Amino acid sequence: MLKVFTRVLCSASRLGSRAALPPQQLLLLRQAGGNPGVRGLARSMWLLCSSGLRRGPLNPGRPLDSVSCGCGALHTEGDQAFAEFLGDEIKEEKKIQKSTSLPKVSGGWEIRLNGTEAKLERKVEGERITVSFNINNSIPPTMEEAPQEGQKDAENEPEVISTPNFVVEVTKLSNKQSLVFDCHYPEDEVGHGEEDESDIFAIREVSFQPTGEDDWKETSYTLNTDSLDWALYDHLMDYLIDRGIDNTFADELVELSTALEHQEYIKFLENLNGFIKC
């Protein structure tokens, strides 16, 4: 027991050379010296170890650089720099935003939005045509080389274009089934010239699905066009063109999707900025 008490006094003398011990701790040490019980020594040791002089992983001696906003969450200098960056990014994105309103699609299409999902609908002589798409993962990866430091030019940056997969449903009002076309934009057809008369979208799959059901049946036969006879494929494309799903529609769908994607991207940055701040 005397050996333990000696260690406590030695520790106190070493600490005294750096900073004076608080009176409470000195009193406890004197009490421990007068009555060197196990509880007195243990409590003296605990107070010494709990003092602000201790350094270690749980008490590094310097508080974490943080700013409190009253929300109770952690806020660091890195968070503050992140929020400032997001603020500048939002301003730049709003500068290049063409319009806060979404472009219209010609042909009498009604547009309904649900977050990142969009649905266009029109009725033609006893048929209802619905086109639906989602802007998530709709921007193809760019293969451009990274610019050299100091050579970045905002005017030379490639334009971000959203080319989503889209589904066309043709429903006869007197039928309980819908003819469904799963379409996409081939990468080599995006950005074609006006003189190019080739189709800028393609049919990937065709199937029949129950009308009015969100979950399609996996047991329904699906026609894949990869190995399809070209004559049959051309007739399927003509069927869509006769119902207004042509190159003009596909171009306007890209404009709508691109504007919607940019709009949602700005909303995401604003939500992220607010989350980082508090």
Side-chain angles (χ1 to χ4, degrees), residues 106-110 120-124 127-131 242-245:
S106 60
W109 294 92
E110 296 181 1
L120 293 82
E121 184 176 309
R122 64 180 293 206
K123 293 181 180 179
V124 181
E127 292 183 352
R128 182 175 66 249
I129 299 99
T130 305
V131 179
D242 291 340
R243 284 152 181 80
I245 313 298

Side-chain angles (χ1 to χ4, degrees), residues 77-249:
E77 291 181 354
D79 294 346
Q80 184 177 358
F82 191 11
E84 292 175 357
F85 167 81
L86 288 173
D88 294 338
E89 188 74 6
I90 292 170
K91 292 179 182 178
E92 292 300 321
E93 291 296 330
K94 287 185 175 181
K95 285 181 182 179
I96 64 176
Q97 189 177 20
K98 296 180 180 179
S99 175
T100 55
S101 59
L102 297 176
K104 302 293 184 180
V105 178
S106 60
W109 294 92
E110 296 181 1
I111 303 176
R112 288 180 292 174
L113 300 176
N114 182 20
T116 60
E117 294 181 348
K119 181 174 289 187
L120 293 82
E121 184 176 309
R122 64 180 293 206
K123 293 181 180 179
V124 181
E125 297 182 4
E127 292 183 352
R128 182 175 66 249
I129 299 99
T130 305
V131 179
S132 55
F133 64 91
N134 195 312
I135 62 169
N136 284 333
N137 303 316
S138 63
I139 298 179
T142 57
M143 304 303 293
E144 301 289 338
E145 294 183 0
Q148 299 293 331
E149 185 177 355
Q151 295 181 352
K152 185 176 181 180
D153 187 356
E155 296 181 356
N156 295 331
E157 290 184 357
E159 183 180 3
V160 176
I161 299 177
S162 171
T163 55
N165 299 334
F166 61 95
V167 175
V168 181
E169 298 178 59
V170 180
T171 304
K172 294 183 181 294
L173 302 182
S174 59
N175 200 312
K176 296 182 180 180
Q177 285 186 322
S178 298
L179 184 59
V180 179
F181 298 81
D182 184 2
C183 304
H184 70 110
Y185 291 91
E187 293 183 7
D188 55 349
E189 296 294 343
V190 177
H192 67 95
E194 294 182 358
E195 70 282 356
D196 191 352
E197 297 181 356
S198 63
D199 298 318
I200 65 173
F201 72 97
I203 302 172
R204 179 183 286 120
E205 294 178 345
V206 184
S207 64
F208 281 105
Q209 298 293 341
T211 301
E213 294 188 12
D214 295 333
D215 296 330
W216 291 341
K217 293 182 178 180
E218 295 293 336
T219 56
S220 299
Y221 177 78
T222 300
L223 177 66
N224 192 299
T225 61
D226 288 342
S227 57
L228 191 64
D229 178 79
W230 277 106
L232 177 55
Y233 181 84
D234 288 340
H235 280 296
L236 291 172
M237 288 294 294
D238 291 340
Y239 184 86
L240 291 179
I241 292 173
D242 291 340
R243 284 152 181 80
I245 313 298
D246 53 13
N247 277 354
T248 300
F249 173 85

